[in-house]
Amino acid sequence: MNRYAGDTLSWAVSDGVVELELHRAPANEIGSAMLADLERFAEALPALERDAAALILHSRLDAGFSAGADLRELYHRMIDLGPAERQAQLRTFLERIHAVMNAIDATSLTTIAATRGVVFGGGFELALVCDLIIADKMTRFCFPELRLGLIPGFGGIPRLKRDLGNAVVRDLLLTGRSVNASRAHAIGLVSQLTAEGRSLDAARATARQILKFDRGTSAAAKEFVKPVPRAELAREIELFCELFSRPAVEAGLKRFVESEDAMPYLP
Amino acid sequence: MPSKTEAETLSEVLDLAAAQFQVPRADLSGGDDFFAKLGIDSLKALEMLTRLENHFGVELPDYEMQGVSDFGTLADRIHARL
């Protein structure tokens, strides 16, 4: 399927480049609807790999690339369930999103996240599966999960460890602070920094360069730099489920969901 | 020693906010609650934070910004990192 237009995202192939555009208002929160669309994309990837050499992920929304997991939907879906059913549904959701992340991470396409605005939590994890992150200078990256008593659950810690030095990983994870694109560029997370609103242009220019290379050679190079420890990904799901069962997490989510604070994206 | 005074820092903060939210500069002062005055939400506040970081060349940890809602305090926090 070379073209798809869903409620939360769309993709199309043009001149050897797949462009996957996120457009689920207000800020591309990843809930059940976006997960279903992402699964459609993962299913389509083998066919897309035959017709393209590069993939660009970007957002149509001014708010940014993605604010991460849809915590409001998660809370409302879980609140009325008993502990066992809650754990089962959470685990299923995590296993499904991990499968999508792993598929994009492992694709033979050279992948680029073109970012702006918020790249938070699960949105950050989605960007981390890409080979390159090209950020405009208004981008902010953040793993806010510890503020809720959780850890990143979409494969974020193993991939952050793969890509960055341990001191930087500790800073981002253990403080939960957001960092701007300049800082992210300085620490090696962002490969190219652009002017405001120009990250997609830069990603397209980079994709045109990628198209000049032999596909098999690019794929061979990726084999050396993309492996991520599958045991750590599995352990992350286990830990996330354990932490989620604690009353403090439910209370934190409730506060977040019901908050009328002016900073709801910062739990 | 910062290269500018606290008053200059505040003035630049107000200049940037006026430009970002397209309000008359003369309508803004240090005591204004920027959420109320500008009618902004959290995403717009983050955008303002990023613009300020880019302009002043500093990092402003967002946890230090929680509870900060007036331009004067915001400018003080920036000035402390110049």
Side-chain angles (χ1 to χ4, degrees):
Chain A
M1 186 159 45
N2 275 0
R3 181 173 292 275
Y4 173 77
D7 290 336
T8 70
L9 59 82
S10 302
W11 73 78
V13 182
S14 177
D15 297 327
V17 180
V18 187
E19 290 197 8
L20 173 62
E21 182 182 65
L22 308 177
H23 48 68
R24 190 264 188 176
N28 289 324
E29 289 84 352
I30 302 170
S32 54
M34 184 173 281
L35 173 57
D37 273 343
L38 284 169
E39 287 178 324
R40 287 187 188 92
F41 179 72
E43 287 169 17
L45 257 177
L48 294 170
E49 287 168 351
R50 289 193 290 274
D51 296 333
L55 163 66
I56 299 172
L57 274 74
H58 68 100
S59 167
R60 184 190 299 172
L61 305 180
D62 288 340
F65 184 76
S66 170
D70 188 341
L71 296 177
R72 287 172 179 81
E73 181 191 88
L74 180 69
Y75 176 77
H76 290 302
R77 286 171 73 101
M78 297 290 176
I79 190 64
D80 293 327
L81 300 176
E85 182 63 18
R86 186 181 295 190
Q87 283 283 306
Q89 288 208 14
L90 178 65
R91 184 178 298 275
T92 299
F93 183 88
L94 291 173
E95 288 174 351
R96 288 174 60 196
I97 192 73
H98 270 245
V100 169
M101 297 288 192
N102 293 344
I104 301 173
D105 200 323
T107 180
S108 62
L109 301 172
T110 299
T111 53
I112 306 168
T115 64
R116 59 177 175 155
V118 292
V119 186
F120 280 17
F124 193 176
E125 293 170 294
L126 182 58
L128 280 171
V129 304
C130 295
D131 301 328
L132 307 171
I133 298 176
I134 297 179
D136 88 359
K137 67 179 185 180
M138 292 302 295
T139 303
R140 289 195 85 84
F141 297 89
C142 183
F143 273 129
E145 284 83 353
L146 265 73
R147 302 181 196 212
L148 288 168
L150 290 168
I151 58 171
F154 297 176
I157 298 177
R159 290 196 172 89
L160 203 60
K161 282 174 59 185
R162 173 182 68 186
D163 294 348
L164 297 175
N166 213 315
V168 175
V169 176
R170 290 196 300 271
D171 179 15
L172 291 173
L173 278 178
L174 301 179
T175 70
R177 72 184 180 115
S178 63
V179 296
N180 64 35
S182 298
R183 171 73 171 154
H185 187 238
I187 62 179
L189 175 68
V190 164
S191 65
Q192 296 179 43
L193 190 60
T194 78
E196 186 173 351
R198 302 301 296 271
S199 61
L200 182 55
D201 292 340
R204 285 171 173 160
T206 302
R208 286 194 292 275
Q209 169 69 6
I210 289 163
L211 289 174
K212 297 174 185 172
F213 302 156
D214 174 69
R215 284 287 321 282
T217 308
S218 296
K222 281 186 65 168
E223 286 185 23
F224 288 92
V225 291
K226 289 303 292 269
V228 60
R230 292 301 174 105
E232 288 190 10
L233 292 172
R235 179 66 181 139
E236 185 193 85
I237 292 175
E238 294 300 322
L239 274 175
F240 192 97
C241 288
E242 283 177 35
L243 293 167
F244 195 83
S245 67
R246 297 187 314 172
V249 172
E250 183 178 324
L253 277 173
K254 185 172 191 294
R255 273 197 307 277
F256 174 72
V257 168
E258 296 177 351
S259 172
E260 294 183 359
D261 192 309
M263 303 287 274
Y265 283 95
L266 295 171
Chain B
M1 178 72 74
S3 60
K4 55 189 79 182
T5 66
E6 291 180 10
E8 287 170 336
T9 301
L10 174 60
S11 180
E12 289 179 30
V13 168
L14 297 176
D15 288 345
L16 283 167
Q20 180 182 347
F21 298 105
Q22 299 183 322
V23 297
R25 168 67 174 79
D27 286 357
L28 302 180
S29 67
D32 287 337
D33 180 315
F34 45 78
F35 288 109
K37 185 86 177 190
L38 302 171
I40 61 176
D41 61 13
S42 61
L43 289 176
K44 285 293 178 190
L46 274 176
E47 190 181 317
M48 181 169 71
L49 187 70
T50 307
R51 285 189 195 285
L52 292 167
E53 286 184 333
N54 289 339
H55 176 81
F56 288 102
V58 297
E59 281 191 86
L60 303 167
D62 36 40
Y63 49 79
E64 282 193 15
M65 295 298 126
Q66 287 185 314
V68 174
S69 59
D70 66 279
F71 288 115
T73 307
L74 179 60
D76 287 345
R77 299 286 169 87
I78 293 168
H79 198 75
R81 289 179 175 266
L82 291 177

